[in-house]
Amino acid sequence: MDKDVFKDMTYGMFVLSTKYKNKDVGCFVNTAVQITSASMLVAVSVNKNNFTNEAIKNTKKFAIAILSENTNAEVIGKFGFFSSKDTNKFEGFEAFENNGILIINENICSYMVCELVEVVSVDTHDVFIARVIDAKKLNNFKPMTYSFYHKVIKGSAPKSAPTFVEEKILNKGNFKKYKCTICGHIYDEEIEKVSFSDLPETWKCPICGVGKEMFEEMK
């Protein structure tokens, strides 16, 4: 079976946020869809091993921030490749509160706040069906798609994402490729025109913000 077919499906880019007791929790998702319009129902798929999954079941309320093409890629890196258990994902980013839920506010298109209606268990993920209780459009920016994320920002899917597929990339010629061990971002010397070893020690991964020491040469 050719799993690359899934890459032709259209996905948006979202930051899902909630609260666990007094802790602000959130994660990156790319599978949030409208189910109905009359009763304002949406569905979001979240990996069962994700801390945000547990938090939503506890709080029974969450927010969806719709990211735009102007959103800083580090937002995806922080919310997609770190755990809320030990990381304050909102630190360093603009955010505001609505219905007790903190919402990222980094050039997002709009947001909605939802109350949990039902949880459907599906293999490695839970599908949260929820009713929208508040929503607002903030900007007229172009929404970020999963295709834009891959082709322009050159990010990869977190292992907990429904769309994750392990990729194997081989080096060609004298150029080398280095892969971030945190988010999977590929630094390609042929494309970047700068040797990885020549990058300054202050250089950071454009997706998740970690240093050069977290990159491994791809063989």
Side-chain angles (χ1 to χ4, degrees), residues 10-216:
T10 302
Y11 299 93
M13 300 288 282
F14 316 94
V15 165
L16 186 69
S17 58
T18 186
K19 219 173 188 69
Y20 187 79
K21 299 178 180 178
N22 293 321
K23 185 179 181 64
D24 296 308
V25 177
C27 68
F28 156 74
V29 297
N30 64 348
T31 47
V33 297
Q34 176 185 345
I35 298 177
T36 66
S37 56
S39 55
M40 299 286 284
L41 290 177
V42 296
V44 184
S45 177
V46 184
N47 191 288
K48 292 178 180 178
N49 293 325
N50 197 308
F51 185 61
T52 304
N53 184 306
E54 179 183 347
I56 290 175
K57 290 175 180 175
N58 179 272
T59 306
K60 303 189 185 307
K61 188 185 296 184
F62 60 85
I64 301 172
I66 302 175
L67 306 185
S68 76
E69 292 183 354
N70 296 349
T71 301
N72 190 329
E74 289 188 8
V75 171
I76 301 171
K78 179 64 71 69
F79 283 86
F81 300 98
F82 293 86
S83 174
S84 291
K85 281 185 177 180
D86 48 33
T87 303
N88 179 2
K89 296 187 179 183
F90 291 89
E91 185 176 6
F93 297 128
E94 291 186 11
F96 61 92
E97 191 173 286
N98 184 306
N99 278 270
I101 304 297
L102 200 61
I103 303 171
I104 195 75
N105 191 25
E106 292 283 335
N107 290 330
I108 67 173
C109 297
S110 52
Y111 71 88
M112 57 185 74
V113 181
C114 312
E115 286 186 342
L116 187 61
V117 173
E118 184 178 354
V119 181
V120 180
S121 177
V122 184
D123 195 21
T124 58
H125 287 64
D126 283 321
V127 178
F128 294 104
I129 299 173
R131 179 167 287 103
V132 179
I133 58 174
D134 193 17
K136 186 175 183 180
K137 185 175 180 64
L138 299 179
N139 294 294
N140 290 316
F141 298 142
K142 187 175 181 180
M144 185 188 297
T145 64
Y146 205 51
S147 175
F148 179 91
Y149 171 61
H150 277 289
K151 295 177 181 178
V152 180
I153 299 180
K154 302 187 185 303
S156 61
K159 289 186 177 181
S160 61
T163 53
F164 174 77
V165 177
E166 186 71 40
E167 296 182 358
K168 295 181 179 180
I169 303 176
L170 300 178
N171 289 325
K172 296 180 180 179
N174 295 322
F175 296 105
K176 297 179 179 179
K177 293 183 176 71
Y178 295 82
K179 184 174 183 178
C180 178
T181 57
I182 300 299
C183 71
H185 174 69
I186 306 296
Y187 183 92
D188 188 335
E189 293 181 338
E190 184 175 12
I191 295 175
E192 302 295 340
K193 308 301 182 185
V194 177
S195 171
F196 188 79
S197 61
D198 290 338
L199 292 172
E201 293 305 312
T202 54
W203 183 86
K204 303 292 184 183
C205 175
I207 302 299
C208 66
V210 298
K212 292 174 60 179
E213 70 279 2
M214 299 305 294
F215 278 71
E216 294 181 345

